[in-house]
Amino acid sequence: MNTGFSLTGKVALVTGAAYGIGFAIAEALAMAGAKICFNCRGEKHMADALDAYRQKGIEAHGYFCDVTNEDQVKRMVSQIEQEVGVIDILVNNAGIIKRIPMTEMSVEDFREVIDIDLTAAFIMAKAVIPGMLQKGHGKIINICSMMSELGRETVSAYAAAKGGLKMLTRNICSEYGGANIQCNGIGPGYIATPQTAPLRERQPDGSRHPFDRFIVSKTPAGRWGTPEDLMGPAVFLASDASNFVNGQILYVDGGILAYIGKQP
């Protein structure tokens, strides 16, 4: 049974894996035996990430690349193939969110979110699928969101991008499932990361942040998720254990999407 979850010898590319959720997923894939590649756009992030991987005992391969730039992506994938091997696993994790009311959001801001959160996943998948076709197998994991299913104030661009990413996931499955390529998504709930830390800070009177209280009250698990909560699902979807799972979104949200909430 354990061999079904092994990634020994596999080459994994995780975008935006310098820190946070992407780093945790890359760490999990490495623990399962995969060779890890990731991208960055800044020198400081790259240096910090490589040092963090070294501290974990992981020999990660870092590449400077803007995943919204198709030429840069093609060069990165070609370089990885030459230096590490043909990519077996792609995790499209890179993303941004801009919390701006829709009528106040510029078209430029909307397009930037769509470009990074959706178009980049298309560019990345397009670049790695030919190698997967040659190898006769491949795994693509798109990091979606609960906003693939739900709307919320101020996240119109993000929700539109993640909803589109859900459908891109299903369409890659539809086009390439017959070639033994599985494309699935992970939909994290609210995850405790440095980026969400301000939403969990104690108030001056010692009480919990209102948003913190709101999320915990809506989550049957009664807590925020952690990046570690995503490690097992990522290994499952990257491994042979999920070879007959395709076009699905695995929501790792502590049960929020299943819960209507307590009666007031």
Side-chain angles (χ1 to χ4, degrees):
M1 185 63 163
N2 289 340
T3 59
F5 293 89
S6 173
L7 302 179
T8 301
K10 303 290 187 182
V11 177
L13 170 57
V14 185
T15 66
Y19 54 86
I21 288 173
F23 184 92
I25 289 175
E27 181 185 357
L29 301 184
M31 290 168 61
K35 302 173 185 177
I36 301 302
C37 304
F38 71 98
N39 77 294
C40 269
R41 290 193 295 180
E43 291 186 7
K44 185 179 188 306
H45 277 160
M46 178 67 76
D48 290 346
L50 288 172
D51 183 59
Y53 280 113
R54 279 192 293 269
Q55 291 182 32
K56 293 282 187 177
I58 299 170
E59 183 184 353
H61 305 265
Y63 298 86
F64 289 105
C65 178
D66 177 351
V67 291
T68 68
N69 184 307
E70 188 170 15
D71 289 337
Q72 290 187 29
V73 167
K74 287 179 178 178
R75 286 195 295 271
M76 176 178 66
V77 169
S78 176
Q79 192 174 354
I80 291 171
E81 289 176 348
Q82 293 171 23
E83 297 176 356
V84 187
V86 176
I87 294 163
D88 299 284
I89 302 158
L90 168 66
V91 182
N92 281 313
N93 168 75
I96 62 168
I97 186 170
K98 294 193 175 188
R99 295 180 177 89
I100 305 171
M102 182 175 169
T103 56
E104 298 173 18
M105 188 175 219
S106 69
V107 172
E108 291 74 20
D109 280 337
F110 185 91
R111 285 178 174 154
E112 183 182 9
V113 174
I114 297 294
D115 207 25
I116 295 173
D117 291 7
L118 176 58
T119 308
F122 165 77
I123 292 171
M124 290 298 312
K126 180 183 174 184
V128 304
I129 285 174
M132 293 177 173
L133 290 172
Q134 289 181 358
K135 294 189 82 167
H137 65 83
K139 300 282 186 175
I140 299 173
I141 303 171
N142 293 325
I143 304 303
C144 297
S145 165
M146 290 190 305
M147 298 300 111
S148 301
E149 299 288 343
L150 300 172
R152 191 171 175 273
E153 299 86 349
T154 75
V155 294
S156 58
Y158 186 77
K162 294 301 185 178
L165 187 58
K166 174 183 70 175
M167 294 311 300
L168 178 63
T169 300
R170 292 177 177 173
N171 210 77
I172 292 172
C173 158
S174 301
E175 286 200 51
Y176 297 103
N180 195 28
I181 294 173
Q182 291 84 49
C183 182
N184 294 288
I186 294 177
Y190 285 91
I191 305 297
T193 65
Q195 289 75 25
T196 60
L199 300 175
R200 290 175 282 109
E201 288 180 350
R202 289 283 176 175
Q203 301 302 287
D205 63 0
S207 65
R208 299 172 74 165
H209 191 289
F211 191 78
D212 183 13
R213 294 199 305 270
F214 167 71
I215 291 304
V216 171
S217 72
K218 291 292 185 181
T219 306
R223 64 174 178 86
W224 287 63
T226 67
E228 290 73 23
D229 287 320
L230 302 171
M231 296 171 86
V235 170
F236 168 64
L237 291 178
S239 72
D240 289 344
S242 61
N243 280 351
F244 204 55
V245 179
N246 212 351
Q248 304 302 310
I249 311 298
L250 175 54
Y251 290 100
V252 186
D253 65 356
I256 290 181
L257 287 175
Y259 186 44
I260 196 171
K262 292 181 181 179
Q263 182 177 343

